[in-house]
Amino acid sequence: MTLADQTFALPPVAEDRAAMIRDHLRDAIVDRRLAPGTKLNEAEVGTLFDVSRTVVRAALQALAFEGLVKTERNRGAFVANPTPEEARQVFASRRLIEPGLALAAAQRITSGEVAAFRERLHHESELLHQRGPTARRAEIHASGDFHLLLAKVAGNAILLRFMEELVARSSLVIALYGRSGASSCGHGDHGNILAALEQRDGELAGRLLLTHIDHIEADLDLRNTSNLALRDALVTDAHRLP
Amino acid sequence: MTLADQTFALPPVAEDRAAMIRDHLRDAIVDRRLAPGTKLNEAEVGTLFDVSRTVVRAALQALAFEGLVKTERNRGAFVANPTPEEARQVFASRRLIEPGLALAAAQRITSGEVAAFRERLHHESELLHQRGPTARRAEIHASGDFHLLLAKVAGNAILLRFMEELVARSSLVIALYGRSGASSCGHGDHGNILAALEQRDGELAGRLLLTHIDHIEADLDLRNTSNLALRDALVTDAHRLP
DNA sequence: CGCGCCGAAATTGTATGCAATCTTGTCTTG
DNA sequence: CAAGACAAGATTGCATACAATTTCGGCGCG
């Protein structure tokens, strides 16, 4: 009845504020609205979302666990600034996990899920044709969503969570080390992968995923740390060493 | 000098209290001193470790991220009570990840690391011959450490963290669904795996790992939920459903 | 002019207090 | 006697206050 509807309609807005702040911050980081190295002041974030520092700390702790934020004792939380080595490890992990997801997904995928994939691909290709930073952000976001959808279809909640973390961190890595701003997913790889899944050829989908990850990583400039590390040090924590 | 020694000797005790409490609780859960479903009262844990609830909450939140603790809003934190489905997903994830770790580890393993493995295996076999619950706990712990060492040798920090979570959750699963208390690792599988790594045969090590995981999972009783779920419900949260 | 020291301001770490919610035992009522 | 209502107690969610630490500007000194 209307009563029951109202009791459900009112509270969902204020359901869990720490989770809400965490999600907003994560979106901002993944969309590159918050640059790597940016300091996340507890009080500032708190006033921004109109909550106390207690709640902000919970959100920041969650993001730290996901690897999107790095906290240093008595110094605060910063948007993560992955090193080239960490970047390689992110992609190595994805190369290990995603073919397995493809195998599982190919067996389980339903026609409804295929439709959902198609819709996402369509959205993605539309974004590719647009210009401007907003479209770029949305494109990176949508590209990640493709891989998350793959993980969802595979049906393993634990691996899905791992992939959520890996996709988010990939976005950070691309932000830091991406050469061209755009070529991350312009190859149409996603379409081919979906086609393989549709034919329930998980092996093929896995192979395509590997070359797809190769494409992404090939666009990165992970050349050795010296100059980049210097820049990192200057940007983020120049005043730290003893 | 003695001064430097003291400045290092004093603070490490009180370095980060939330992390310390988290580690203590995790050990207790993994060692089965805290049964699945046990309520972790914030005030109680706080007085136990002589800290405020603030610190306890941080520790519990961290454990919730790792999947060892489940929190319910306004109801508190409980030692996780994985369902058979979750248990299957834990092992499916390990089957996907560990052969990849073996491949990397076989390439990178050093003689020093081989020695560390041997020492651990020796420790493990000693525990196997002992009786009593303390030895059982230590044995489960040691068995997990073998897999964590493998992940360390593989050299990927992200996958190492994933494995830490998976190993800990495996321990919970074995506690809940293990048939015999002991057969989890009595097959000597670990020795064979190490031998393969030593010969840098990562493929073989990976295959051995898969059969090893099969052995562990074969000792579980994951038959479908009905009666087990009932028991879970009775034990842990009988008063929750509407 | 550079360099290190010192103190105020800012920021984080932790404890505590209060409001909201859930739990539990009792009592009423059919 | 069973079932539901209700109130007291216990517990969590959150905000705030205070202590500990770091940061940063200025000052004196080589």
Side-chain angles (χ1 to χ4, degrees):
Chain A
M1 318 306 174
T2 53
L3 193 87
D5 283 325
Q6 281 172 350
T7 52
F8 266 13
L10 290 184
V13 185
E15 192 174 330
D16 186 347
R17 303 191 277 175
M20 190 191 104
I21 292 172
R22 165 182 54 105
D23 292 342
H24 275 255
L25 286 176
R26 180 175 28 220
D27 267 19
I29 295 172
V30 169
D31 285 354
R32 307 208 224 169
R33 297 194 306 275
L34 284 171
T38 305
K39 166 136 198 210
L40 299 171
N41 183 299
E42 294 177 358
E44 201 173 338
V45 176
T47 58
L48 203 61
F49 287 96
D50 197 45
V51 296
S52 82
R53 283 176 48 220
T54 307
V55 179
V56 175
R57 283 177 74 87
L60 291 177
Q61 193 191 343
L63 291 170
F65 189 82
E66 297 177 28
L68 289 183
V69 155
K70 194 159 22 172
T71 64
E72 298 180 34
R73 181 171 179 91
N74 284 322
R75 285 191 17 92
F78 304 82
V79 177
N81 213 338
T83 64
E85 176 58 23
E86 287 174 299
R88 283 189 209 96
Q89 294 186 359
V90 168
F91 285 103
S93 304
R94 292 185 60 168
R95 263 196 278 268
L96 182 56
I97 292 176
E98 296 205 49
L101 292 177
L103 231 54
Q107 290 187 322
R108 303 171 38 109
I109 195 166
T110 67
S111 57
E113 289 163 339
V114 171
F117 265 111
R118 286 209 188 292
E119 188 182 356
R120 211 147 266 304
L121 280 182
H122 181 66
H123 179 58
E124 228 182 300
S125 70
E126 273 182 341
L127 290 170
L128 256 176
H129 296 159
Q130 295 177 23
R131 298 280 163 197
T134 308
R136 272 297 105 69
R137 285 176 194 147
E139 179 195 338
I140 293 181
H141 212 114
S143 161
D145 283 350
F146 177 90
H147 296 263
L148 290 182
L149 191 48
L150 174 72
K152 277 194 198 91
V153 172
N156 185 317
I158 298 172
L159 292 177
L160 171 59
R161 197 156 50 68
F162 289 171
M163 279 302 298
E164 280 170 348
E165 173 173 340
L166 290 172
V167 166
R169 294 178 75 153
S170 297
S171 191
L172 256 184
V173 167
I174 294 170
L176 269 175
Y177 301 109
R179 211 167 318 195
S180 70
S183 81
S184 47
C185 281
H187 301 273
D189 291 346
H190 288 174
N192 297 333
I193 294 167
L194 175 57
L197 289 177
E198 218 174 337
Q199 295 167 358
R200 303 206 179 279
D201 190 342
E203 292 272 355
L204 175 60
R207 283 196 303 276
L208 291 173
L209 265 167
L210 284 182
T211 66
H212 175 53
I213 296 175
D214 285 343
H215 285 161
I216 299 176
E217 207 171 351
D219 184 55
L220 303 180
D221 182 359
L222 296 179
R223 270 170 311 183
N224 79 24
T225 68
S226 49
N227 51 350
L228 282 168
L230 177 61
R231 199 200 67 166
D232 292 350
L234 292 173
V235 169
T236 62
D237 44 11
H239 318 280
R240 195 164 55 85
L241 290 183
Chain B
M1 323 295 186
T2 53
L3 193 89
D5 284 325
Q6 280 172 353
T7 53
F8 267 10
L10 290 185
V13 186
E15 194 173 327
D16 188 346
R17 302 192 277 176
M20 190 190 106
I21 292 172
R22 165 181 54 98
D23 292 342
H24 275 256
L25 286 176
R26 179 175 30 221
D27 267 20
I29 294 172
V30 168
D31 286 354
R32 309 208 222 169
R33 297 194 306 274
L34 285 171
T38 304
K39 165 136 200 209
L40 300 171
N41 182 299
E42 293 177 358
E44 200 173 339
V45 177
T47 58
L48 203 60
F49 287 95
D50 196 43
V51 297
S52 80
R53 283 177 47 221
T54 307
V55 179
V56 175
R57 282 177 76 86
L60 291 176
Q61 194 189 345
L63 290 170
F65 292 144
E66 297 176 28
L68 289 183
V69 154
K70 195 161 15 174
T71 64
E72 296 178 37
R73 184 175 177 87
N74 285 323
R75 283 192 16 92
F78 304 82
V79 177
N81 214 337
T83 65
E85 176 57 22
E86 287 173 298
R88 282 188 209 99
Q89 294 186 358
V90 167
F91 286 103
S93 304
R94 291 185 61 168
R95 263 196 278 267
L96 182 57
I97 292 176
E98 296 207 48
L101 293 177
L103 231 55
Q107 290 187 322
R108 303 170 39 108
I109 195 167
T110 67
S111 58
E113 288 164 340
V114 171
F117 264 112
R118 286 209 188 292
E119 190 183 353
R120 211 148 265 305
L121 280 182
H122 181 66
H123 180 57
E124 227 180 301
S125 70
E126 272 182 343
L127 289 171
L128 256 176
H129 295 161
Q130 294 177 25
R131 298 281 162 195
T134 308
R136 274 296 104 69
R137 285 177 194 149
E139 179 195 339
I140 294 180
H141 213 113
S143 162
D145 283 350
F146 178 90
H147 296 264
L148 291 183
L149 192 47
L150 174 72
K152 278 194 196 92
V153 172
N156 186 316
I158 298 172
L159 292 177
L160 171 59
R161 196 157 52 67
F162 289 172
M163 278 302 298
E164 280 170 348
E165 175 174 336
L166 290 172
V167 166
R169 294 178 74 154
S170 296
S171 193
L172 256 183
V173 167
I174 294 171
L176 269 174
Y177 301 109
R179 209 167 320 193
S180 72
S183 81
S184 47
C185 281
H187 301 275
D189 291 347
H190 288 173
N192 297 333
I193 294 166
L194 175 57
L197 289 177
E198 219 174 337
Q199 296 167 358
R200 303 206 179 279
D201 190 342
E203 292 272 356
L204 175 59
R207 283 198 303 277
L208 292 174
L209 266 167
L210 284 181
T211 66
H212 175 53
I213 297 174
D214 285 343
H215 285 162
I216 299 176
E217 206 170 351
D219 184 54
L220 303 180
D221 182 358
L222 296 179
R223 271 170 308 182
N224 83 19
T225 68
S226 48
N227 51 350
L228 281 169
L230 177 60
R231 199 199 65 163
D232 292 351
L234 290 173
V235 170
T236 63
D237 44 13
H239 318 280
R240 195 163 55 84
L241 290 183

